[in-house]
Amino acid sequence: MSELTSLTLKSALEGLQSRAFSSVELTAAHVAAVEAARSLNAFVLETPEKALQMAAASDARIASGDAGALEGAPLGIKDLFCTRDVRATACSKILGNFIPQYESTVTANLFGDGAVMLGKLNMDEFAMGSSNETSAFGPVVNPWKIAGGNQSLTPGGSSGGSAAAVAADLCLGATATDTGGSIRQPAAFTGTVGIKPTYGRCSRWGIVAFASSLDQAGPIAKTVEDAAILLTSMAGHDEKDSTSLNVETPDFASFVGKSVRGLRIGVPKEYRVDGMPPEIDALWEQGIAWLKEAGCEIVEVSLPHTKYALPAYYIVAPAEASSNLARYDGMRYGLRAEGGNLTEIYENTRAQGFGAEVQRRILIGAYVLSAGYYDAYYLKALKVRRRIAEDFDRAWETCDALLTPTAPSAAFALGERNADPIAMYLNDVFTVTTNLAGLPSISVPAGLDAQGLPLGLQLIGRALDEGTVFSLAGAVEKAAAFRSKPAKWW
């Protein structure tokens, strides 16, 4: 059965179509893998009965020649996505045992194409975190270990469950979301591929909101082509989401493997930050060399407002979070704490229901939106955001895409950075800019550090130009020939 779980999504779909195995067999193998890997804490809810029912229905459609693009493929769903009649908590106590009576547009698209749901994946509470340690269900453990060590490492956040599950072959792919790097950083930490598409490419309807102008859904997968296949199914216009772009969804997989000869690749000088490990810088140089060999022209570009990106992000995102999370008051659904009056019920519910990091961000957000501080902080951050977007616009005059590291380090130990929120926030230094500007960006595993941990390279493209991003990612993937997998200890 382990041979079935080690397949890529593409090869699994081919095997299903050729009847080499059935979806029920494929799904049963993954269900067994999920059960055997509970020590990773990647899943917060397993749905084996539902998965096998969906798989049987897929087998019937394959037999009748009515197969969808993802027919019979078992996937994991991040717990931020509402799933009809299946608990969705955003890994927060405040949502309790909330069971949605509706399906998010992204998961509806996937299931409409025949995907099978194995269960709901662990994540940072309300997607607020960079290490998957803020989850009410406890942290996810990265399947990777330092060579010769036994320390538990973070899989990154907030989509840590998604990344760990894909890296450990518990599912063929997973849904994820990215507000400031929550797809790409976990992908880099686990040796997987993760893409944050253009803002508006995937509907946000039915995804529990964190920061509405930054949140975007995307896939985490084993290969660039797998990520392209998943994104094609996930994307599409949705009238229920006012920020959804009414544009055609191309076949993203058709771009993987295309020649990148003649493309101009920008290398932003501001991404060479102090204290970055030499290995990350060396990998970046290696990525530049790979793209040169593939026929790309390398140009240095400047994104001068990059140094203001993190401060701007950590004003805009908490401001939107404080607004979005105001609805969790214990009145309509989820946790309700006791209190002597309405105000006490509100206060006790929110104090008991929200974890420390979520409370911290709500307080920051309420502060920067308050009278007297709104102009000094929030409006200024919006102006910086505009400048960051303009930096990218100028860069596109001389290049077609950018190449950067994905994260400033490899995976670190669980608990290592909990005492210092600022040190944790610095994980997002290379990723937040594209959320602020709404651009597509992908992380591709490109090598191992001296401790045997995976490192990723990030490619950033123009708005709605995921095609070029996928072509370049395919070229990097081919040159890197990254085949490493975590040694199984779970």
Side-chain angles (χ1 to χ4, degrees):
M1 282 298 196
S2 63
E3 295 82 36
L4 292 180
T5 58
S6 64
L7 294 171
T8 64
L9 173 64
K10 175 79 183 301
S11 55
L13 290 171
E14 288 171 348
L16 287 165
Q17 284 300 316
S18 68
R19 316 284 174 90
F21 44 82
S22 67
S23 177
V24 167
E25 289 171 327
L26 182 65
T27 300
H30 282 89
V31 166
V34 170
E35 289 173 354
R38 287 179 180 150
S39 56
L40 295 178
N41 201 28
F43 280 83
V44 294
L45 182 69
E46 297 171 24
T47 56
E49 296 87 2
K50 185 178 180 69
L52 290 167
Q53 285 171 4
M54 294 173 82
S58 283
D59 283 334
R61 285 191 291 270
I62 291 169
S64 66
D66 194 25
L70 293 173
E71 202 65 69
L75 305 178
I77 305 299
K78 186 178 180 178
D79 202 31
L80 205 63
F81 292 80
C82 288
T83 40
R84 187 183 179 93
D85 296 330
V86 177
R87 190 188 74 191
T89 70
C91 288
S92 177
K93 289 178 184 173
I94 206 158
L95 271 164
N97 283 313
F98 173 59
I99 297 176
Q101 296 306 296
Y102 52 88
E103 192 75 46
S104 80
T105 299
V106 164
T107 50
N109 289 347
L110 290 170
F111 300 149
D113 276 350
V116 169
M117 181 171 73
L118 292 166
K120 304 300 284 291
L121 291 160
N122 204 344
M123 54 176 279
D124 279 298
E125 183 182 6
F126 282 103
M128 298 182 198
S130 301
S131 64
N132 219 132
E133 292 175 275
T134 69
S135 169
F137 296 94
V140 178
V141 180
N142 194 329
W144 289 82
K145 298 271 193 195
I146 290 171
N150 199 33
Q151 206 171 15
S152 293
L153 305 178
T154 174
S158 64
S159 306
S162 302
V166 173
D169 289 336
L170 309 186
C171 54
L172 292 175
T175 67
T177 60
D178 194 309
T179 305
S182 286
I183 289 174
R184 293 157 289 156
Q185 183 243 29
F189 279 9
T190 57
T192 55
V193 176
I195 181 166
K196 179 201 86 70
T198 305
Y199 181 78
R201 176 68 89 177
C202 292
S203 170
R204 291 185 299 110
W205 195 85
I207 300 173
V208 179
F210 163 14
S212 301
S213 75
L214 301 164
D215 298 344
Q216 190 57 198
I220 291 179
K222 297 180 185 182
T223 68
V224 172
E225 188 172 20
D226 285 1
I229 292 167
L230 286 169
L231 184 58
T232 301
S233 283
M234 292 170 71
H237 178 58
D238 180 12
E239 290 182 354
K240 295 194 290 290
D241 175 6
S242 62
T243 62
S244 174
L245 298 173
N246 192 0
V247 293
E248 198 174 323
T249 302
D251 174 12
F252 292 120
S254 68
F255 292 95
V256 182
K258 273 191 174 178
S259 171
V260 295
R261 185 166 297 281
L263 290 178
R264 296 165 302 167
I265 308 303
V267 177
K269 62 183 181 183
E270 288 80 8
Y271 279 48
R272 298 189 188 280
V273 296
D274 293 337
M276 189 164 74
E279 290 167 313
I280 302 242
D281 199 48
L283 186 74
W284 194 7
E285 291 300 327
Q286 181 64 70
I288 291 167
W290 286 332
L291 289 175
K292 263 187 188 171
E293 286 167 23
C296 295
E297 179 191 342
I298 307 299
V299 294
E300 186 177 85
V301 297
S302 178
L303 303 172
H305 294 90
T306 295
K307 61 186 172 188
Y308 305 116
L310 268 179
Y313 173 83
Y314 279 102
I315 289 171
V316 174
E320 294 185 12
S322 71
S323 174
N324 276 325
L325 271 58
R327 70 191 71 171
Y328 302 102
D329 53 14
M331 290 294 109
R332 288 155 291 192
Y333 48 78
L335 178 74
R336 179 185 293 183
E338 296 300 315
N341 55 46
L342 186 62
T343 301
E344 278 185 18
I345 291 173
Y346 283 164
E347 289 174 347
N348 294 344
T349 297
R350 291 169 72 81
Q352 293 173 32
F354 290 134
E357 181 60 32
V358 174
Q359 289 183 30
R360 181 184 293 118
R361 297 200 195 193
I362 290 172
L363 287 169
I364 292 169
Y367 178 81
V368 300
L369 291 175
S370 61
Y373 297 103
Y374 182 87
D375 290 359
Y377 291 102
Y378 185 66
L379 278 187
K380 192 170 285 184
L382 292 184
K383 289 174 182 174
V384 169
R385 182 180 189 172
R386 181 66 246 156
R387 293 286 179 270
I388 288 168
E390 288 168 356
D391 285 351
F392 281 109
D393 289 342
R394 274 191 292 277
W396 304 138
E397 293 171 11
T398 56
C399 66
D400 301 298
L402 303 175
L403 177 73
T404 78
T406 306
S409 72
F412 48 90
L414 290 171
E416 188 178 304
R417 302 187 186 178
N418 284 356
D420 185 357
I422 303 300
M424 193 69 85
Y425 296 167
L426 287 170
N427 284 302
D428 304 329
V429 65
F430 298 137
T431 51
V432 296
T433 51
T434 62
N435 295 84
L436 290 165
L439 302 175
S441 43
I442 191 169
S443 178
V444 183
L448 299 175
D449 72 0
Q451 296 181 305
L453 298 177
L455 300 171
L457 287 173
Q458 176 179 228
L459 289 147
I460 303 168
R462 292 184 175 92
L464 294 174
D465 191 17
E466 285 88 354
T468 298
V469 171
F470 275 121
S471 294
L472 289 163
V476 169
E477 180 181 59
K478 185 179 177 183
F482 185 88
R483 302 279 184 272
S484 302
K485 299 289 288 184
K488 190 168 181 181
W489 54 266
W490 56 92

